[in-house]
Every structure is written in structure tokens, then in C-alpha cells.
């Protein structure tokens, strides 16, 4: 599989004082990410990353992912445009280091040959940030309470009830 937003980072090349990176997806990369994630569109995607060397060869990454996406409403299938803004907290691990399982720890990303694809990490962060049940503002299922009982097991009995 060819990554949609490739940005390989050699962990050993991160300067001792750290570095800031900005990853921005172009139109073709956004379209490829939308296809991969099965959504209508990724209109924009950017990540601001602050990389800092940490203990035992790890690299601490903090930052923010922002995106404009469009998904289908789960009720009406209408397009639903959403803005995503997610904080990023990762630890890039050198070869052979096992990820930790702490709930409060940043997400660990293992390297292969001392290299991590930051673009792939951003794509996965976007995937996790997507609304699993996007819904258009006025979309209602037939069994929603807002439907005032027009459907359902007692709808016919409600019609037989005298007014008042």
C-alpha cells in the first residue's frame, strides 16, 4: 500500500533542541484519504507537530490536527460537513522498543529501521477522529421521539383515541 500522505522521519535526525513540522495534505492526498476512509471528501488536512528527543531514544510528539471532512448522514445520506480539531500526543519508539500500555500515556508509534511515517500517523489520527455516526442537522429516523408517535407499535391505537 502506498501511503496517501508520506512523510518519513528518521528518529536519529531529530535535533537535540527538537523541531517543528507542519504537514499539509494537497488535493490529491485529500482525495486518496477520503477513498481510504470511505467518506465523501477530505477538504483539508493539516497537522502542526512539535518533536522533542526524550529518554531512551524516544521522540515525544505533541501538536494539533485540523481537518474539514464530509461524510454521509447515517439517516438521510445527505452530505454532512464537519470540522475536526484534535490534540496529538505520541511517542515515537526506536527499533525494538515495546509500546507501553498505560491509559494516560501518549500513543506509542513503533519505528521500522529507525523510521516512522508521520503522514501515516496523521492519517490514522484523522481516522480515529471521524464521527462514526454523522447526522445532518434536521435528519430524523421514523422512530425518533420527535416524530410524535406517527410510527411504532401504538401508532394505530393513538389514532383511535378520541380527541381531548
Amino acid at each position: 500500500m502506498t501511503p496517501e500522505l508520506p512523510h518519513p522521519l528518521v528518529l536519529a535526525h531529530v535535533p537535540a533542541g527538537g523541531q517543528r513540522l507542519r504537514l499539509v495534505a494537497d488535493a490529491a492526498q485529500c482525495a486518496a484519504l477520503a477513498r481510504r476512509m470511505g467518506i465523501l471528501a477530505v477538504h483539508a488536512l493539516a497537522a502542526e507537530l512539535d518533536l522533542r528527543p526524550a529518554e531512551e531514544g524516544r521522540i515525544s510528539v505533541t501538536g494539533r490536527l485540523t481537518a474539514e471532512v464530509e461524510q454521509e448522514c447515517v439517516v438521510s445520506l445527505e452530505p454532512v460537513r464537519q470540522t475536526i480539531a484534535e490534540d496529538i500526543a505520541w511517542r515515537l519508539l526506536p527499533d525494538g522498543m515495546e509500546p507501553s500500555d498505560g491509559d494516560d500515556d501518549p500513543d506509542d508509534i513503533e519505528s521500522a529501521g529507525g523510521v516512522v511515517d508521520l503522514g501515516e500517523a496523521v492519517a490514522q489520527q484523522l481516522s480515529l477522529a471521524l464521527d462514526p455516526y454523522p447526522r445532518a442537522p434536521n435528519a430524523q429516523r421514523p422512530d425518533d421521539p420527535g416524530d410524535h408517535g406517527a410510527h411504532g407499535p401504538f401508532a394505530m391505537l393513538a389514532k383511535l383515541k378520541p380527541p381531548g
Side-chain angles (χ1 to χ4, degrees):
M1 177 181 100
T2 303
E4 297 85 1
L5 183 63
H7 192 93
L9 173 77
V10 178
L11 300 185
H13 292 171
V14 175
Q19 75 183 89
R20 292 192 56 78
L21 293 175
R22 178 171 168 79
L23 304 181
V24 179
D26 65 25
Q29 292 166 330
C30 285
L33 284 165
R35 281 191 301 276
R36 172 180 170 183
M37 295 177 191
I39 63 175
L40 297 175
V42 174
H43 296 289
L45 172 64
E48 299 281 344
L49 305 174
D50 185 26
L51 290 74
R52 301 274 170 213
E55 70 283 345
E56 299 178 29
R58 294 181 183 109
I59 303 294
S60 171
V61 180
T62 56
R64 189 139 180 96
L65 171 139
T66 56
E68 289 287 329
V69 300
E70 198 166 340
Q71 297 177 265
E72 282 185 339
C73 171
V74 294
V75 176
S76 66
L77 302 181
E78 294 175 46
V80 177
R81 193 166 179 145
Q82 298 171 322
T83 299
I84 294 173
E86 289 279 316
D87 289 330
I88 290 173
W90 302 326
R91 278 189 305 216
L92 310 180
L93 305 179
D95 275 340
M97 185 174 282
E98 292 292 320
S100 65
D101 290 334
D103 289 338
D104 294 330
D105 292 339
D107 292 332
D108 288 334
I109 300 175
E110 297 178 76
S111 67
V115 178
V116 169
D117 187 344
L118 289 177
E120 177 59 21
V122 167
Q124 289 180 16
Q125 188 83 30
L126 173 63
S127 175
L128 293 171
L130 291 174
D131 184 349
Y133 304 105
R135 194 163 175 172
N138 296 320
Q140 284 190 322
R141 294 187 326 255
D143 59 344
D144 269 351
D147 201 40
H148 305 296
H151 302 284
F154 300 106
M156 291 303 285
L157 290 175
K159 290 179 184 177
L160 297 175
K161 184 178 177 182

